[in-house]
Amino acid sequence: MTYRRTLHPDEMKSYIDATTCLQALPAALSSTIPGAVSRFDDFVGAAYIPDGESSFKSSQVQFLPWHRYFTAVFEDLLKTHCGYTGGQPYWDLTLDVKADKKFVDSPVFSPTDGFGGNGAYIPCAEQPYNSFCLTNGTGGGCVSDGPFKNTILHLGPGRNIERNDHCLTRNFHPQFPARWFSEIDINRTLAEGSYGRFWRHLEGMFEVERIGLHGAGHFGIGDPLFYLHHANLDRLWWKWQEQNPHPRLREVSGPVSEKQGAGNVTLAYEIGFGKIAQKVNIADVVHIKQKALCTIIPNTASACL
Ligand SMILES: [Cu+2]
């Protein structure tokens, strides 16, 4: 992964070009994801269908290992199918919520060098694809500038995997990044002593309003920024792990599901990705140099454990 602000505009352009390339390649998984048109849609569908992210709900402890592998598979496809040679960039929202910064001015939203900006403001109740309204939304309409302004999503809303063309929308809620990505909050999250408590911070579970770092930087699964946000959450997990490698490089905890008696997640827990990738055990991805991750990203193969 590469630090966003050190990305030269040419490197950002090559990542965005590779993403639009994936959006133009034909789907490979339309037998299981009927509405998938593009290779990019395959990933959206894999996150929706029952053994993808939705199988455990994204707000459960399996979320971190699931996304670590999912993002790596996405990066691999950019390389093998679209000639991308860089690393998966991440979006460090903390840089965009400093006192002298306005969230909307983040370079990540640049129409020329970034991913384009907010959608036009539409009152939440009038937005066709929004099933719940958070306060102080500032957008909600189609993304109207930048490289994804004409992007048509084929799946969704919700977990719909049938063909349903609609535009890519964005709805900035700057108060959430400001609340969850300040340096104070990041440091508080990184100071947690166990995987379970670290993950609870990500999901905002110590607060009544459960937004957390995860929700605060989230756009839809069909938004290319989805991968940069989750890469950043993974970077934070890795940072937390590195602070105390023994035992954190072998640590996972928390209930498998909200059902009583479902048991706890262990390293042997198997996570699925639909047909986008083979199943892996959490043990395979708990360390970023574990073979399952290393070997799908050839550049790092020499550093495999
Ligand atoms: Cu998510």
Side-chain angles (χ1 to χ4, degrees):
M1 292 180 192
T2 316
Y3 184 38
R4 161 173 73 85
R5 301 232 177 187
T6 65
L7 277 189
H8 187 273
D10 287 349
E11 293 173 297
M12 185 55 86
K13 186 176 182 318
S14 72
Y15 178 81
I16 289 169
D17 285 351
T19 303
T20 52
C21 154
L22 223 52
Q23 289 174 326
L25 288 178
L29 303 181
S30 41
S31 61
T32 50
I33 305 166
V37 175
S38 72
R39 207 66 186 96
F40 186 88
D41 293 340
D42 288 342
F43 280 80
V44 178
Y48 285 160
I49 60 178
D51 75 345
E53 180 176 21
S54 54
S55 68
F56 51 81
K57 296 196 196 137
S58 66
S59 59
Q60 287 178 228
V61 289
Q62 301 91 317
F63 159 81
L64 282 166
W66 192 90
H67 269 289
R68 177 168 283 175
Y69 196 61
F70 189 68
T71 306
V73 173
F74 182 78
E75 178 184 348
D76 179 51
L77 228 70
L78 295 178
K79 290 178 172 170
T80 53
H81 286 62
C82 291
Y84 182 60
T85 55
Q88 169 64 42
Y90 63 84
W91 174 21
D92 183 356
L93 281 96
T94 303
L95 298 172
D96 297 326
V97 300
K98 295 191 187 292
D100 60 336
K101 296 274 191 306
K102 274 176 95 178
F103 182 70
V104 292
D105 293 337
S106 167
V108 87
F109 302 132
S110 162
T112 48
D113 299 328
F115 290 73
N118 205 3
Y121 176 69
I122 300 177
C124 189
E126 294 167 28
Q127 293 169 25
Y129 292 111
N130 199 353
S131 54
F132 59 97
C133 293
L134 299 168
T135 49
N136 299 328
T138 60
C142 304
V143 170
S144 60
D145 63 7
F148 300 106
K149 82 171 183 185
N150 295 319
T151 292
I152 297 295
L153 304 182
H154 305 113
L155 308 174
R159 292 178 191 163
N160 167 52
I161 55 171
E162 302 293 332
R163 178 93 185 247
N164 179 27
D165 291 6
H166 55 287
C167 69
L168 170 66
T169 61
R170 279 194 197 130
N171 189 0
F172 292 177
H173 293 78
Q175 80 271 24
F176 294 130
R179 161 65 186 84
W180 294 98
F181 278 92
S182 72
E183 270 173 45
I184 291 171
D185 266 294
I186 297 295
N187 290 337
R188 196 178 291 150
T189 303
L190 291 173
E192 284 296 352
S194 72
Y195 176 91
R197 286 189 63 90
F198 172 77
W199 162 76
R200 276 188 178 77
H201 262 292
L202 292 193
E203 297 297 345
M205 288 185 175
F206 296 116
E207 309 267 333
V208 178
E209 190 180 45
R210 291 185 173 195
I211 300 293
L213 285 79
H214 183 196
H218 218 287
F219 298 116
I221 298 177
D223 192 323
L225 280 172
F226 176 88
Y227 295 93
L228 280 77
H229 172 52
H230 289 83
N232 187 43
L233 297 179
D234 188 62
R235 177 184 71 96
L236 292 171
W237 181 26
W238 178 246
K239 256 184 137 170
W240 179 84
Q241 289 181 304
E242 276 190 311
Q243 287 172 349
N244 186 5
H246 304 286
R248 292 185 185 173
L249 291 173
R250 304 294 294 165
E251 184 183 341
V252 68
S253 61
V256 167
S257 80
E258 286 153 358
K259 279 196 209 122
Q260 280 277 319
N264 284 333
V265 167
T266 65
L267 290 177
Y269 183 85
E270 199 176 59
I271 40 180
F273 299 87
K275 287 206 163 35
I276 206 89
Q278 77 273 27
K279 291 185 172 179
V280 294
N281 296 324
I282 289 179
D284 296 329
V285 297
V286 72
H287 191 304
I288 60 170
K289 290 182 181 168
Q290 209 75 27
K291 213 168 168 214
L293 280 163
C294 258
T295 48
I296 63 169
I297 305 171
N299 289 346
T300 59
S302 59
C304 281
L305 292 175

